[in-house]
Amino acid sequence: MMSRGGTRLTSSLMAAVGGRCFSAATVRTLSDEVATAWIRAPVVGLRYESTLALGDKERQEEKPVVSGLAAGGSGGKDEKTVVSYWGIQPGKVKKDDGTEWRWSCFRPWETYESNTSIDLKKHHVPVTLMDKLAFWTVKVLRWPTDIFFQRRYGCRAMMLETVAAVPGMVGGMLLHCKSLRRFEHSGGWIKALLEEAENERMHLMTFMEVAQPRWYERALVFAVQGVFFNAYFLGYIISPKFAHRMVGYLEEEAIHSYTEFLKELDKGNIENVPAPAIAIDYWRLPANSTLRDVVMIVRADEAHHRDVNHFASDIHYQGRELKETPAPLGYH
């Protein structure tokens, strides 16, 4: 705010300069307007006006620049990339042969060749009361699935994967929070469980290319996932050994389901179509692979998840924590 002295000074200067160029009335009018303008100028405006450079003002008015083409995560479709003001831009990834990588949802170094020679008949015999509870919980959950899907194994696989991808994410999340609370390492188990969840999700992305779910099947996924996520979350907090044991039995049922899927393919009841492109790149399959090859790979993945979760439950049964035993990272 300008003081009275400042106002008099302004009037004097205007009178001295204006005497030669303006009339007395004009000088008085101009001096009054200048003084009024100084008095009414907002303080905040003056402060920020002095700190904003011209370049900053121009950047504030800029809009995101749209340029370039990037391979999307849904089948490698070309999509426009928004180049951020902060310089964030997806990097271009190439295969070993020099061709451009088509997927943004996973990278070449995250792919692998699954070990399909794994023993599919291994079974953890339930002995303790908690093991029996976990075993029969899975058996009860399988019953309505058999009635609903019957022999529609493509849609059955999608439904199975929307559920199977939940435990790894829940377990990894809770171990992550525990690691933060206790300021301790997890022995690699956070990464192992999150890798399991991502692998199960890739199963779903693969089967989405083979069988499109109907509207009521999508609605069923919403209901089942909402109930199962919260139930498993509470179950893992109460007893991690029960939670991992139940997932182990769930994976045993998944092996059985995919075995039946293979039988239907061999009988010709389900068409053995070419393998989706996302499956060929994710599992490093030959270009001429078929749906049968994909189902065999997925079944092997479920067998590995079976072993990991039974192993985790055994660690808890021995009265130890997961961090005390290194996680089987890269166990495919």
Side-chain angles (χ1 to χ4, degrees):
M1 184 179 291
M2 194 170 182
S3 62
R4 295 181 180 177
T7 305
R8 295 195 194 97
L9 178 61
T10 303
S11 301
S12 301
L13 291 173
M14 292 300 298
V17 176
R20 298 179 181 179
C21 304
F22 308 102
S23 63
T26 304
V27 171
R28 283 196 298 272
T29 302
L30 289 174
S31 62
D32 292 342
E33 290 178 355
V34 171
T36 303
W38 274 95
I39 293 172
R40 292 181 180 178
V43 177
V44 175
L46 290 174
R47 288 180 180 176
Y48 283 95
E49 189 69 23
S50 63
T51 57
L52 283 176
L54 179 59
D56 294 332
K57 291 181 180 179
E58 293 176 351
R59 283 194 293 269
Q60 286 179 348
E61 297 176 356
E62 286 181 356
K63 295 181 179 180
V65 180
V66 179
S67 64
L69 293 175
S74 55
K77 297 179 180 178
D78 289 339
E79 299 174 357
K80 291 184 177 179
T81 303
V82 178
V83 180
S84 170
Y85 161 79
W86 304 106
I88 300 174
Q89 187 173 5
K92 293 183 178 180
V93 181
K94 294 185 178 180
K95 296 183 181 180
D96 295 336
D97 58 6
T99 58
E100 187 173 354
W101 183 254
R102 71 177 77 183
W103 313 103
S104 59
C105 55
F106 65 98
R107 296 306 194 196
W109 51 87
E110 296 172 336
T111 64
Y112 64 95
E113 295 180 4
S114 181
N115 176 20
T116 56
S117 63
I118 186 171
D119 186 359
L120 300 172
K121 297 181 180 180
K122 289 172 64 177
H123 168 64
H124 183 278
V125 179
V127 178
T128 66
L129 177 62
M130 190 165 292
D131 282 355
K132 293 179 181 179
L133 179 62
F135 178 78
W136 286 109
T137 298
V138 173
K139 286 295 185 182
V140 170
L141 293 175
R142 181 187 174 90
W143 178 70
T145 306
D146 291 338
I147 295 176
F148 187 82
F149 291 102
Q150 297 181 359
R151 294 189 177 277
R152 295 172 52 240
Y153 286 101
C155 294
R156 185 193 189 101
M158 283 190 298
M159 183 66 184
L160 175 64
E161 300 302 342
T162 59
V163 174
V166 170
M169 181 59 66
V170 172
M173 176 185 66
L174 290 176
L175 287 180
H176 173 75
C177 293
K178 183 178 180 180
S179 175
L180 297 178
R181 291 195 308 270
R182 296 189 177 183
F183 304 94
E184 63 186 16
H185 293 285
S186 69
W189 280 97
I190 295 174
K191 186 175 182 179
L193 293 177
L194 293 181
E195 282 181 351
E196 176 186 315
E198 175 65 10
N199 181 250
E200 297 284 9
R201 192 183 67 84
M202 290 303 298
H203 293 174
L204 176 63
M205 296 299 102
T206 298
F207 286 115
M208 282 290 295
E209 301 293 328
V210 178
Q212 294 296 325
R214 300 168 185 173
W215 68 267
Y216 56 85
E217 291 170 340
R218 290 177 178 268
L220 182 63
V221 168
F222 270 89
V224 172
Q225 190 181 80
V227 174
F228 183 73
F229 180 94
N230 290 285
Y232 189 81
F233 181 87
L234 292 175
Y236 199 99
I237 292 176
I238 296 171
S239 176
K241 62 183 175 182
F242 168 80
H244 282 293
R245 187 69 76 203
M246 191 185 77
V247 176
Y249 288 129
L250 181 65
E251 300 295 358
E252 290 183 16
E253 293 296 331
I255 294 170
H256 174 72
S257 295
Y258 284 116
T259 300
E260 295 298 317
F261 196 165
L262 288 171
K263 289 179 181 179
E264 293 297 312
L265 284 167
D266 293 338
K267 292 177 182 178
N269 296 332
I270 300 177
E271 184 181 0
N272 190 23
V273 298
I278 190 171
I280 291 175
D281 285 340
Y282 183 69
W283 285 290
R284 303 176 190 172
L285 296 173
N288 60 347
S289 297
T290 63
L291 177 59
R292 190 181 191 283
D293 299 320
V294 174
V295 174
M296 288 189 65
I297 291 288
V298 172
R299 184 177 64 170
D301 285 348
E302 306 294 6
H304 287 94
H305 299 161
R306 169 204 63 192
D307 295 349
V308 171
N309 280 278
H310 280 313
F311 175 51
S313 184
D314 289 343
I315 294 173
H316 284 292
Y317 266 104
Q318 294 171 9
R320 303 164 65 185
E321 294 190 15
L322 292 181
K323 66 174 183 176
E324 300 175 24
T325 304
L329 294 172
Y331 178 66
H332 298 301

